[in-house]
């Protein structure tokens, strides 16, 4: 029904296009809502653009009947004019020969001349279609690449989840083994101390019993002497007088008074005084303190770390490690797990027979996915041993004079003074000193391509009482 109406009856008097969201004024004229608002914005009074009658309402009501007629007209126009791939303009019924580059839509030549597209750049539909296809193809390639990135990230997530489970199981097993050693030590120490207590108890009991036997013999002698003297008292006077001298002298020659038994009790303080501390102090023989712990999450796959994370050596690559950002991916490097940004710190490394190593400190932000020289400009302060030569990795590298092959290297960091000092602990000789105004956190740094281990030496624990 609507398709039989003339297009002029369904056109807005302002834009001359099919009504879009038509509204009805009190004067019975209809306009596109947007066209009316645009007209009122530029006019002094809110009036009808056709008859100039003043409108009483700020927001005129929608003309739903007219809107339905326009929609039916556009639908019938589009369906009736469809011919193969050449669709007609739903507004003007003309062929869509142009593509508006501003509004990104196909239009007809009448649309190009209308107010809606006037002054817009346009291209022939064939040319525009080729350009759009190229853009869509390029967009698809970008999205496919992005999809591949996300698929790889998801695969990496699955791999990391599996690695986390493996890590947790390995750490749990090692923790149980370490605690078992501690338990065995405590049980053995408990048995040793209880055995010592039992031995002292027996010694004290034996000593008291021996003294008690002496007392028993003394009591027997005194009892016998008292009986003899009592018999003397009962004798006749002459007999008493005759035996008096011997009897009275025997009285003064009797045993001395028993001495008080000192030190015969169990020394409780020896067993209970600071018991936990003494056991802990002795426990250091099986639980040494390491001033430095290696970070396995930063270790290159070619490095194998000890269970206690205090030594490393070069080995066959471990393919079961995730490619996390903290890990070195190019060179056989690893960092310590504690970062320093103040005060003084030192640790000693046993290099032994290792003939290819680099030791020192690295900034927290050093590149881990690229191979860069371990020099100060790249955030490294190190010395190295390679090809039987010692060098400080300065810029350029500095050859070091070392009389005997180093077995150990002592590294001292004074962050506040900006110094990294390398020493030979066997002779307390300074090997090399770096000076730099540090601004980042520093981490202990290790590199090796030798199967001989580099080992962090333990330190004795010194206590101070506050």
């Amino acid at each position: 029904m609507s398709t039989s109406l003339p297009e002029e009856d369904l056109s807005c008097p302002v834009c001359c296009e099919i009504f879009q969201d038509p509204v009805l004024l009190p004067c019975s004229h209809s306009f596109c809502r947007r066209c009316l608002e645009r007209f009122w914005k530029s006019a002094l009074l809110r009036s009808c653009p056709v008859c100039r009658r003043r409108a009483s309402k700020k927001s005129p009501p929608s003309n739903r009947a007219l809107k339905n007629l326009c929609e039916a007209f556009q639908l019938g126009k589009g369906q009736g004019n469809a011919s193969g791939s050449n669709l007609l303009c739903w507004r003007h019924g003309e062929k869509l020969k142009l593509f508006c580059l501003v509004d990104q839509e196909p239009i007809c030549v009448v649309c190009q001349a209308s107010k809606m597209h006037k002054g817009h750049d346009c291209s022939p539909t064939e040319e525009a279609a080729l350009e759009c296809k190229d853009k869509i193809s390029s967009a698809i390639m970008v999205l496919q690449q992005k999809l591949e990135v996300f698929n790889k990230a998801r695969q990496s997530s699955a791999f990391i989840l599996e690695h986390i489970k493996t890590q947790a199981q390995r750490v749990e097993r090692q923790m149980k083994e370490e605690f078992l050693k501690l338990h065995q030590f405590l049980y053995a120490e408990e048995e040793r101390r209880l055995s010592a207590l039992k031995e002292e108890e027996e010694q004290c009991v034996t000593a008291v019993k021996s003294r008690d036997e002496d007392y028993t013999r003394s009591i027997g002698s005194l009892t016998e002497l008292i009986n003899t003297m009592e018999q003397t008292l009962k004798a006749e006077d002459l007999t008493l007088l005759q035996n008096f001298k011997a009897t009275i002298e025997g009285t003064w020659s009797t045993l001395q008074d028993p001495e008080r038994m000192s030190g015969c009790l169990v020394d409780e303080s020896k067993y209970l005084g600071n018991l936990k501390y003494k056991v802990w102090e002795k426990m250091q023989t099986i639980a040494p303190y390491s001033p430095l712990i290696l970070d396995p999450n930063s270790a290159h796959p070619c490095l194998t770390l000890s269970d206690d994370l205090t030594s490393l050596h070069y080995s066959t690559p471990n393919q079961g490690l995730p490619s996390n950002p903290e890990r070195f991916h190019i060179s056989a490097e690893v960092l310590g797990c504690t970062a320093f940004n103040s005060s003084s710190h030192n640790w000693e490394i046993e290099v032994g027979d290792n003939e290819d190593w680099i030791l020192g400190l690295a900034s927290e932000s050093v590149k881990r996915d690229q191979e860069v020289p371990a020099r100060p400009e790249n955030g490294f302060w190190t010395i190295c041993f390679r090809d039987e030569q010692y060098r400080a990795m300065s810029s350029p590298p500095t050859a070091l004079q070392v009389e005997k092959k180093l077995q150990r290297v002592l590294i001292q960091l004074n962050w506040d003074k900006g110094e990294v000092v390398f020493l030979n602990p066997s002779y307390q000789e300074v090997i090399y000193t770096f000076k730099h105004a540090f601004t980042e956190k520093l981490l202990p740094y290790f590199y090796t391509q030798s199967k001989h281990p580099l080992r962090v030496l333990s330190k004795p624990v010194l206590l101070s009482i506050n």
Side-chain angles (χ1 to χ4, degrees):
M1 183 78 178
S2 60
T3 57
S4 62
L5 291 174
E7 188 173 335
E8 293 79 11
D9 293 342
L10 301 177
S11 299
C12 173
V14 175
C15 66
C16 299
E17 303 287 349
I18 302 299
F19 283 108
Q20 295 289 323
D21 190 14
V23 294
L24 180 66
L25 294 181
C27 60
S28 300
H29 289 122
S30 294
F31 304 93
C32 298
R33 184 182 296 275
R34 182 176 296 178
C35 293
L36 183 62
E37 290 175 351
R38 193 177 298 157
F39 176 78
W40 280 356
K41 189 175 182 180
S42 60
L44 295 176
L45 298 174
R46 302 172 67 84
S47 59
C48 174
V50 175
C51 65
R52 302 300 177 181
R53 180 178 175 181
R54 190 168 181 177
S56 59
K57 295 183 179 180
K58 292 184 178 181
S59 299
S62 296
N63 192 337
R64 296 186 179 278
L66 181 58
K67 182 179 180 182
N68 293 336
L69 285 173
C70 292
E71 290 178 351
F73 175 81
Q74 292 170 351
L75 181 61
K77 194 80 171 176
Q79 291 176 345
N81 291 335
S83 176
S85 60
N86 296 321
L87 298 178
L88 301 181
C89 175
W90 61 270
R91 292 188 181 94
H92 309 106
E94 301 292 334
K95 288 187 177 181
L96 299 173
K97 296 182 178 182
L98 300 173
F99 183 76
C100 178
L101 300 178
V102 176
D103 295 324
Q104 298 285 297
E105 64 177 355
I107 60 175
C108 67
V109 291
V110 179
C111 290
Q112 184 185 23
S114 68
K115 292 181 180 180
M116 185 177 295
H117 298 280
K118 190 173 184 179
H120 291 184
D121 291 335
C122 299
S123 295
T125 53
E126 295 81 0
E127 181 180 337
L130 292 175
E131 292 180 359
C132 290
K133 287 179 180 179
D134 291 340
K135 291 180 179 179
I136 292 174
S137 298
S138 299
I140 290 174
M141 290 180 62
V142 172
L143 293 175
Q144 286 177 338
Q145 292 173 355
K146 186 69 69 175
L147 177 62
E148 185 178 356
V149 170
F150 275 97
N151 283 331
K152 288 183 178 179
R154 193 159 183 266
Q155 292 174 0
S156 177
S157 296
F159 184 74
I160 289 175
L161 287 174
E162 191 63 29
H163 183 70
I164 290 172
K165 292 180 182 178
T166 303
Q167 274 187 310
Q169 292 172 355
R170 185 182 68 253
V171 171
E172 179 182 1
R173 183 179 66 254
Q174 291 179 202
M175 285 179 64
K176 287 183 176 180
E177 291 175 357
E178 293 300 320
F179 273 103
L180 179 59
K181 292 177 183 177
L182 294 176
H183 294 160
Q184 291 174 342
F185 169 84
L186 290 174
Y187 289 140
E189 186 65 14
E190 179 186 12
E191 288 298 321
R192 189 189 69 78
R193 290 178 178 268
L194 290 176
S195 178
L197 172 62
K198 189 67 176 178
E199 183 179 350
E200 183 170 344
E201 177 192 5
E202 292 175 353
Q203 290 175 353
C204 291
V205 169
T206 299
V208 172
K209 285 183 176 180
S210 176
R211 187 67 62 88
D212 187 64
E213 290 175 357
D214 293 340
Y215 292 160
T216 300
R217 288 192 292 271
S218 297
I219 290 172
S221 298
L222 287 173
T223 301
E224 185 179 350
L225 180 59
I226 291 171
N227 290 334
T228 300
M229 294 181 70
E230 287 177 346
Q231 292 297 325
T232 302
L233 285 174
K234 294 177 182 179
E236 295 180 357
D237 293 344
L238 184 57
T239 303
L240 183 146
L241 294 173
Q242 289 176 341
N243 296 326
F244 174 76
K245 183 177 181 180
T247 301
I248 202 66
E249 288 178 354
T251 301
W252 306 122
S253 63
T254 55
L255 299 174
Q256 296 181 354
D257 291 343
E259 297 180 358
R260 299 180 66 181
M261 296 182 65
S262 62
C264 61
L265 302 180
V266 172
D267 187 357
E268 295 184 34
S269 62
K270 183 172 69 174
Y271 298 98
L272 298 179
N274 286 326
L275 174 60
K276 295 176 183 177
Y277 167 77
K278 291 176 181 177
V279 173
W280 171 82
E281 189 176 37
K282 189 173 181 181
M283 193 180 293
Q284 292 186 62
T285 57
I286 66 162
Y289 168 75
S290 176
L292 179 62
I293 300 299
L294 302 174
D295 180 11
N297 292 334
S298 70
H300 186 273
C302 284
L303 291 180
T304 298
L305 309 186
S306 60
D307 289 343
D308 61 358
L309 305 178
T310 61
S311 70
L312 65 145
H313 67 273
Y314 191 81
S315 62
T316 304
N318 183 355
Q319 303 296 338
L321 296 177
S323 181
N324 51 300
E326 300 85 0
R327 193 176 305 282
F328 286 96
H329 303 289
I330 307 299
S331 188
E333 303 163 277
V334 66
L335 298 174
C337 65
T338 302
F340 306 123
N341 62 352
S342 64
S343 306
S344 298
H345 311 272
N346 66 82
W347 55 94
E348 195 170 324
I349 309 299
E350 183 182 70
V351 296
D353 296 327
N354 190 306
E355 296 182 348
D356 188 359
W357 52 259
I358 303 176
L359 302 174
L361 287 135
S363 297
E364 197 173 35
S365 62
V366 293
K367 298 183 184 300
R368 309 190 188 192
D369 57 354
Q370 299 178 21
E371 186 173 7
V372 296
R375 298 177 185 174
E377 64 267 24
N378 297 321
F380 296 87
W381 293 268
T382 62
I383 65 172
C384 80
F385 180 58
R386 179 174 292 172
D387 300 328
E388 300 184 355
Q389 290 184 349
Y390 294 95
R391 290 187 297 273
M393 299 300 288
S394 53
S395 298
T398 303
L400 302 176
Q401 299 299 323
V402 178
E403 293 184 3
K404 293 185 179 180
K405 184 179 179 181
L406 295 174
Q407 293 298 311
R408 293 178 296 158
V409 176
L410 176 62
I411 303 174
Q412 293 180 343
L413 165 67
N414 191 322
W415 198 94
D416 299 324
K417 288 186 177 181
E419 288 184 350
V420 178
V421 184
F422 297 87
L423 301 99
N424 181 352
S426 300
Y427 303 99
Q428 288 300 310
E429 294 176 346
V430 175
I431 302 172
Y432 192 80
T433 300
F434 285 98
K435 292 189 176 182
H436 184 84
F438 301 119
T439 56
E440 287 189 56
K441 292 181 179 180
L442 300 181
L443 292 157
Y445 170 82
F446 301 81
Y447 162 91
T448 185
Q449 283 200 16
S450 172
K451 295 182 179 180
H452 297 288
L454 299 174
R455 183 175 291 105
V456 181
L457 297 181
S458 61
K459 278 186 175 181
V461 177
L462 302 178
L463 298 181
S464 61
I465 307 232
N466 295 326

